[in-house]
């Protein structure tokens, strides 16, 4: 951009024996397109010598106008230095900054800091220690420049609490449950819609930094976490955050993530969530809590792309979940099974039922793993257990369109009086196929009662055949050839 400056020095002496001067002012502006920055510096008086000089007070004002964003700040401090060693210090500075941005939900944001700063011009490094407030957050820490050119930053930052959603642009902040989920899981129409804005990682391509951050309480994309700790290293356009740990939703998170900002952005995420209460996490993250329970979630994925949609389409990797004492909301398979006997007499074909938030299928344990390919998560090893039923299944969850196509297979494993009693005896061992389709936010459940009836008839036929064989061959008593006939029949019928 264009620089203009006025530097007034009425009187200044800089020698090894004497440093003196006063009323030194700098008035400078930098204009770059629609952005303009103005800086004013005042040094009322200097005194001392070449090895130790000082000013009782220096004052700086800065104003930045970038159209939708404006920044105004002030800094005051005593100043000391050493001409021979080429060092400058602000031993006790006080700074105040006010940031206004029309794109942020919270504006303006006030910053007040105090601390000490120093620069070694000979060694080409600088350091700052500070404490204060940024909006609602209490912060303290240190930062530095390990070298001036190219700049290499170091930092160690502690924040008591911060809500990042207060500062996210409205267009970028995720809606509760996501836009696709609220529209029935269908992709937004492209006709006349604004083009998706690509990520801008240009500032990261030349970033060299190494440091750590600790946050007592964090909210980001409506997800709440505490005791957040991370270490960051950035060099040559690549950023690695490892380790990344936090306490969240009654459990713990440990893992790492990385971003390569060169050419097409590429990202990897590896996380292990242990002891997590999955329902509240999903509710805050997506706006829906279709799954309840507590346990472990693991994630190992990678993707690349310049937009959110591109990242979804290129997502590959794996995920797994192992939960206990929870529920799947929207359908009560136990009720379906309890009513199945009555329905067998009157229903044929497939009956489709809408999602019902008041219904749920309780489980004592749920395990499933997913292979993710181009944004589609495939599962084929669902294992859901409860005292009454077992559920297996296979199918796909499409993360690009936010839809599901899954076939769950439920079967009765117990018929105790408290869990259904004699009315379920005829259905014991029969598989009930349930097709889950539609939007993730509001799926439909298709129960194939025709297949259920066929299974019931086949099961009944097996039972009758077994009974006749037992009667003809002497029941379950041991025959002359030895062995238990009942055990053999169990093997024959897969029981």
């Amino acid at each position: 951009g264009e620089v203009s400056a006025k530097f007034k020095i009425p009187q200044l002496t800089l020698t090894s024996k004497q440093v003196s001067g006063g009323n030194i002012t700098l008035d400078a502006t930098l204009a770059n397109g629609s952005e303009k920055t103005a800086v004013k510096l005042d040094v009322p008086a200097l005194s001392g010598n070449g090895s130790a000089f000082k000013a009782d007070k220096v004052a700086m004002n800065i104003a930045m106008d970038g159209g939708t964003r404006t920044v105004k700040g002030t800094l005051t401090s005593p100043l000391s230095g050493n001409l021979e060693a080429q060092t400058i210090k602000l031993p006790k500075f006080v700074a105040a900054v006010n940031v206004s941005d029309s794109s942020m939900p919270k504006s303006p944001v006030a910053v007040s800091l105090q601390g000490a700063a120093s620069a070694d011009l000979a060694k080409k490094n600088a350091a700052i220690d500070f404490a204060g407030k940024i909006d609602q957050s209490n912060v303290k820490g240190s930062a530095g420049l390990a070298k001036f050119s190219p700049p290499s930053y170091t930092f160690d930052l502690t924040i008591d609490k911060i809500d990042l959603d207060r500062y996210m642009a409205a267009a970028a902040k995720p809606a509760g449950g996501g836009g696709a989920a609220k529209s029935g899981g269908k992709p937004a129409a492209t006709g006349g819609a604004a083009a998706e804005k690509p990520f801008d990682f240009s500032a990261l391509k030349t970033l060299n930094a190494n440091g750590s951050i600790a946050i007592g309480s964090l909210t980001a994309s409506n997800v709440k976490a505490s005791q957040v700790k991370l270490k960051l290293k950035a060099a040559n356009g690549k950023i690695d955050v490892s380790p990344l740990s936090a306490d969240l939703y009654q459990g713990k998170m440990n893992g790492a993530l990385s971003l390569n900002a060169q050419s097409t952005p590429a990202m990897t995420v590896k996380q292990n969530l242990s002891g997590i209460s999955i329902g509240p996490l999903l509710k805050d993250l997506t706006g829906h809590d279709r799954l309840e329970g507590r346990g472990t979630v693991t994630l190992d994925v990678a993707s690349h792309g310049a937009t959110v949609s591109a990242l979804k389409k290129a997502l590959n990797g794996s995920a797994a979940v192992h939960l206990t004492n929870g529920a799947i909301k929207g359908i009560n398979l136990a009720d379906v099974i309890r009513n199945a006997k009555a329905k067998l007499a009157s229903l044929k074909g497939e009956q489709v039922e809408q999602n019902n938030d008041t219904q749920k299928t309780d489980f004592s344990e749920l395990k499933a793993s997913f292979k993710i390919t181009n944004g589609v998560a495939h599962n084929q090893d669902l294992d859901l257990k409860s005292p009454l039923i077992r559920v297996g299944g296979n199918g796909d969850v499409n993360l690009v369109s936010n839809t599901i196509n899954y076939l769950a297979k439920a079967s009765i494993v117990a018929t105790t009086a408290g869990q259904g009693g004699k009315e379920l005896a005829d259905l014991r061992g029969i598989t009930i196929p349930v097709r889950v389709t539609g939007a993730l936010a509001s799926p439909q459940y298709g129960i194939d009662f025709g297949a259920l009836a066929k299974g019931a008839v086949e099961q009944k036929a097996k039972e009758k055949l077994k009974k006749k064989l037992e009667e003809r061959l002497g029941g379950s008593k041991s025959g002359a050839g030895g062995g238990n006939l009942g055990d053999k029949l169990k093997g024959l019928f897969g029981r």
Side-chain angles (χ1 to χ4, degrees), residues 389-432:
I389 61 175
R390 296 290 186 269
V391 181
N394 61 84
D396 297 326
V397 177
N398 192 318
L399 303 175
V400 180
S401 60
N402 291 322
T403 57
I404 185 172
N405 183 8
Y406 197 91
L407 179 63
K409 300 177 180 179
S411 59
I412 297 170
V413 294
T415 56
T416 60
Q419 296 169 336
K422 295 181 179 180
E423 72 271 17
L424 294 181
D426 291 343
L427 297 176
R428 184 179 179 184
I430 296 175
T431 298
I432 301 175

Side-chain angles (χ1 to χ4, degrees), residues 50 245 296 310 330 337 350 406 410 415 440:
S245 64
T296 300
I337 294 172
E350 184 174 284
Y406 197 91
T415 56
L440 284 173

Side-chain angles (χ1 to χ4, degrees), residues 369-393:
S369 63
F370 298 85
K371 181 180 180 181
I372 305 171
T373 304
N374 297 329
V376 178
H378 177 73
N379 166 262
Q380 59 184 17
D381 63 354
L382 174 66
D383 184 11
L384 182 149
K385 299 175 182 178
S386 77
L388 177 64
I389 61 175
R390 296 290 186 269
V391 181

Side-chain angles (χ1 to χ4, degrees), residues 197-217:
K197 188 175 181 179
F199 303 121
D200 183 7
F201 292 140
S202 56
L204 303 181
K205 294 181 179 180
T206 57
L207 177 65
N208 288 282
N210 196 332
S212 60
I213 300 175
I215 305 173
S217 176

Side-chain angles (χ1 to χ4, degrees), residues 119-288:
D120 190 322
L121 304 182
K123 296 180 179 179
K124 298 182 179 179
N125 58 44
I128 180 174
D129 294 297
F130 58 89
K133 290 185 71 70
I134 300 177
D135 194 21
Q136 296 180 333
S137 305
N138 293 308
V139 300
K140 64 178 181 179
S142 60
L145 270 171
K147 57 181 179 179
F148 289 167
S149 182
S152 179
Y153 304 96
T154 60
F155 60 90
D156 186 358
L157 180 62
T158 300
I159 307 173
D160 67 337
K161 62 179 180 180
I162 186 169
D163 181 354
L164 294 181
D165 293 346
R166 287 170 60 89
Y167 315 111
M168 294 176 66
K173 182 177 178 180
K182 288 190 174 185
S183 61
K186 298 179 181 179
T190 56
E196 191 173 3
K197 188 175 181 179
F199 303 121
D200 183 7
F201 292 140
S202 56
L204 303 181
K205 294 181 179 180
T206 57
L207 177 65
N208 288 282
N210 196 332
S212 60
I213 300 175
I215 305 173
S217 176
L218 170 68
T219 299
S221 297
N222 205 40
V223 174
K224 286 83 174 176
S226 62
Q227 303 305 316
V228 180
K229 296 180 180 179
L230 64 90
K231 289 188 176 181
L232 181 147
K233 184 177 182 180
N236 302 317
K238 185 177 180 181
I239 299 175
D240 292 303
V241 180
S242 178
L244 171 60
S245 64
D247 295 345
L248 71 166
Y249 300 92
Q250 303 178 24
K252 293 185 178 295
M253 175 185 76
N254 286 283
L257 61 88
S258 66
L259 165 66
N260 193 332
Q262 299 292 0
S263 59
T264 301
M267 304 178 186
T268 63
V269 178
K270 295 183 179 181
Q271 285 293 331
N272 181 71
L273 310 181
S274 59
I276 298 294
S277 183
I278 196 70
L281 173 59
L282 292 176
K283 181 69 173 179
D284 286 346
L285 182 63
T286 68
H288 306 282

